[in-house]
Short mmCIF file of all heavy atoms in Angstrom, two decimals:
data_model
loop_
_atom_site.label_atom_id
_atom_site.label_comp_id
_atom_site.label_asym_id
_atom_site.label_seq_id
_atom_site.Cartn_x
_atom_site.Cartn_y
_atom_site.Cartn_z
N LEU A 1068 71.42 194.84 -9.13
CA LEU A 1068 72.77 194.36 -8.89
C LEU A 1068 73.40 195.08 -7.69
O LEU A 1068 74.16 194.48 -6.93
CB LEU A 1068 73.62 194.57 -10.15
CG LEU A 1068 74.98 193.90 -10.18
CD1 LEU A 1068 74.83 192.40 -10.03
CD2 LEU A 1068 75.69 194.22 -11.47
N LEU A 1069 73.05 196.33 -7.49
CA LEU A 1069 73.55 197.09 -6.34
C LEU A 1069 73.03 196.50 -5.03
O LEU A 1069 73.78 196.39 -4.06
CB LEU A 1069 73.12 198.56 -6.47
CG LEU A 1069 73.68 199.52 -5.43
CD1 LEU A 1069 75.18 199.61 -5.56
CD2 LEU A 1069 73.05 200.87 -5.58
N HIS A 1070 71.79 196.07 -5.02
CA HIS A 1070 71.22 195.45 -3.81
C HIS A 1070 71.94 194.14 -3.50
O HIS A 1070 72.22 193.84 -2.33
CB HIS A 1070 69.73 195.19 -3.99
CG HIS A 1070 68.93 196.43 -4.13
ND1 HIS A 1070 67.95 196.56 -5.09
CD2 HIS A 1070 68.96 197.61 -3.46
CE1 HIS A 1070 67.41 197.75 -4.99
NE2 HIS A 1070 68.01 198.41 -4.02
N ILE A 1071 72.25 193.37 -4.53
CA ILE A 1071 72.98 192.11 -4.32
C ILE A 1071 74.38 192.40 -3.79
O ILE A 1071 74.89 191.68 -2.93
CB ILE A 1071 73.01 191.30 -5.63
CG1 ILE A 1071 71.59 190.86 -5.99
CG2 ILE A 1071 73.92 190.09 -5.52
CD1 ILE A 1071 71.45 190.23 -7.36
N GLY A 1072 75.00 193.47 -4.29
CA GLY A 1072 76.32 193.86 -3.79
C GLY A 1072 76.29 194.22 -2.31
O GLY A 1072 77.17 193.83 -1.55
N PHE A 1073 75.27 194.97 -1.90
CA PHE A 1073 75.16 195.32 -0.48
C PHE A 1073 74.86 194.09 0.37
O PHE A 1073 75.33 193.98 1.50
CB PHE A 1073 74.10 196.39 -0.27
CG PHE A 1073 74.60 197.79 -0.50
CD1 PHE A 1073 74.15 198.53 -1.58
CD2 PHE A 1073 75.52 198.35 0.36
CE1 PHE A 1073 74.62 199.81 -1.80
CE2 PHE A 1073 75.99 199.63 0.15
CZ PHE A 1073 75.54 200.37 -0.92
N LEU A 1074 74.08 193.16 -0.17
CA LEU A 1074 73.82 191.92 0.56
C LEU A 1074 75.11 191.13 0.73
O LEU A 1074 75.39 190.61 1.83
CB LEU A 1074 72.78 191.07 -0.17
CG LEU A 1074 72.50 189.71 0.47
CD1 LEU A 1074 71.79 189.88 1.79
CD2 LEU A 1074 71.72 188.84 -0.47
N LEU A 1075 75.92 191.03 -0.31
CA LEU A 1075 77.19 190.32 -0.21
C LEU A 1075 78.14 191.00 0.77
O LEU A 1075 78.88 190.33 1.51
CB LEU A 1075 77.84 190.19 -1.59
CG LEU A 1075 77.13 189.24 -2.56
CD1 LEU A 1075 77.81 189.28 -3.92
CD2 LEU A 1075 77.11 187.84 -2.01
N LEU A 1076 78.12 192.33 0.79
CA LEU A 1076 78.94 193.07 1.76
C LEU A 1076 78.51 192.74 3.18
O LEU A 1076 79.35 192.46 4.05
CB LEU A 1076 78.80 194.58 1.49
CG LEU A 1076 79.58 195.50 2.41
CD1 LEU A 1076 81.04 195.52 2.00
CD2 LEU A 1076 79.00 196.90 2.35
N ALA A 1077 77.20 192.73 3.42
CA ALA A 1077 76.69 192.42 4.76
C ALA A 1077 76.99 190.98 5.14
O ALA A 1077 77.35 190.69 6.29
CB ALA A 1077 75.19 192.69 4.82
N LEU A 1078 76.85 190.06 4.19
CA LEU A 1078 77.11 188.66 4.49
C LEU A 1078 78.59 188.40 4.78
O LEU A 1078 78.93 187.62 5.68
CB LEU A 1078 76.63 187.76 3.35
CG LEU A 1078 75.12 187.61 3.22
CD1 LEU A 1078 74.78 186.78 1.99
CD2 LEU A 1078 74.52 187.01 4.46
N SER A 1079 79.47 189.03 4.02
CA SER A 1079 80.90 188.79 4.23
C SER A 1079 81.36 189.36 5.57
O SER A 1079 82.04 188.67 6.34
CB SER A 1079 81.72 189.35 3.07
OG SER A 1079 81.55 190.75 2.99
N PHE A 1080 80.99 190.59 5.86
CA PHE A 1080 81.40 191.16 7.14
C PHE A 1080 80.62 190.57 8.30
O PHE A 1080 81.13 190.47 9.42
CB PHE A 1080 81.28 192.69 7.11
CG PHE A 1080 82.43 193.35 6.44
CD1 PHE A 1080 82.34 193.78 5.13
CD2 PHE A 1080 83.64 193.52 7.09
CE1 PHE A 1080 83.40 194.37 4.49
CE2 PHE A 1080 84.72 194.11 6.47
CZ PHE A 1080 84.60 194.54 5.16
N GLY A 1081 79.39 190.12 8.06
CA GLY A 1081 78.63 189.43 9.09
C GLY A 1081 79.27 188.11 9.46
O GLY A 1081 79.31 187.73 10.63
N SER A 1082 79.78 187.40 8.45
CA SER A 1082 80.46 186.14 8.75
C SER A 1082 81.78 186.39 9.49
O SER A 1082 82.16 185.60 10.36
CB SER A 1082 80.71 185.34 7.47
OG SER A 1082 81.69 185.97 6.68
N LEU A 1083 82.46 187.47 9.18
CA LEU A 1083 83.67 187.83 9.92
C LEU A 1083 83.34 188.15 11.37
O LEU A 1083 84.10 187.80 12.29
CB LEU A 1083 84.38 189.00 9.25
CG LEU A 1083 85.08 188.70 7.93
CD1 LEU A 1083 85.59 190.00 7.30
CD2 LEU A 1083 86.21 187.73 8.13
N CYS A 1084 82.22 188.82 11.59
CA CYS A 1084 81.78 189.12 12.97
C CYS A 1084 81.47 187.83 13.71
O CYS A 1084 81.84 187.67 14.88
CB CYS A 1084 80.56 190.03 12.96
SG CYS A 1084 80.89 191.71 12.43
N LEU A 1085 80.81 186.90 13.05
CA LEU A 1085 80.49 185.62 13.68
C LEU A 1085 81.76 184.84 13.99
O LEU A 1085 81.89 184.26 15.08
CB LEU A 1085 79.56 184.81 12.77
CG LEU A 1085 79.09 183.48 13.31
CD1 LEU A 1085 78.23 183.69 14.56
CD2 LEU A 1085 78.32 182.72 12.26
N GLN A 1086 82.72 184.83 13.08
CA GLN A 1086 83.98 184.15 13.32
C GLN A 1086 84.74 184.80 14.47
O GLN A 1086 85.39 184.11 15.26
CB GLN A 1086 84.84 184.16 12.06
CG GLN A 1086 84.31 183.29 10.96
CD GLN A 1086 85.10 183.47 9.69
OE1 GLN A 1086 86.27 183.86 9.70
NE2 GLN A 1086 84.47 183.18 8.56
N GLY A 1087 84.67 186.12 14.57
CA GLY A 1087 85.32 186.81 15.67
C GLY A 1087 84.71 186.44 17.02
O GLY A 1087 85.43 186.20 18.00
N LEU A 1088 83.38 186.37 17.08
CA LEU A 1088 82.73 185.98 18.32
C LEU A 1088 83.06 184.53 18.69
O LEU A 1088 83.29 184.22 19.86
CB LEU A 1088 81.22 186.15 18.21
CG LEU A 1088 80.70 187.56 18.43
CD1 LEU A 1088 79.19 187.59 18.22
CD2 LEU A 1088 81.02 188.05 19.82
N LEU A 1089 83.09 183.66 17.69
CA LEU A 1089 83.46 182.26 17.96
C LEU A 1089 84.92 182.15 18.41
O LEU A 1089 85.24 181.34 19.28
CB LEU A 1089 83.21 181.40 16.72
CG LEU A 1089 81.75 181.18 16.36
CD1 LEU A 1089 81.64 180.42 15.05
CD2 LEU A 1089 81.02 180.47 17.46
N GLY A 1090 85.79 182.97 17.86
CA GLY A 1090 87.18 182.98 18.28
C GLY A 1090 87.35 183.45 19.71
O GLY A 1090 88.14 182.89 20.48
N ILE A 1091 86.60 184.48 20.10
CA ILE A 1091 86.65 184.95 21.48
C ILE A 1091 86.12 183.88 22.43
O ILE A 1091 86.68 183.62 23.49
CB ILE A 1091 85.87 186.28 21.62
CG1 ILE A 1091 86.62 187.38 20.87
CG2 ILE A 1091 85.67 186.65 23.07
CD1 ILE A 1091 85.83 188.67 20.73
#
């Protein structure tokens, strides 16, 4: 469950990074 939590953390902040690049 801890591994899934870290994956969700990476996916959520990774999507925010992608949205930021698309916004720029």
Side-chain angles (χ1 to χ4, degrees):
L1068 191 59
L1069 186 64
H1070 295 135
I1071 294 171
F1073 276 112
L1074 176 69
L1075 290 176
L1076 179 78
L1078 288 176
S1079 62
F1080 280 100
S1082 70
L1083 288 173
C1084 290
L1085 183 64
Q1086 290 173 25
L1088 279 177
L1089 290 175
I1091 291 170

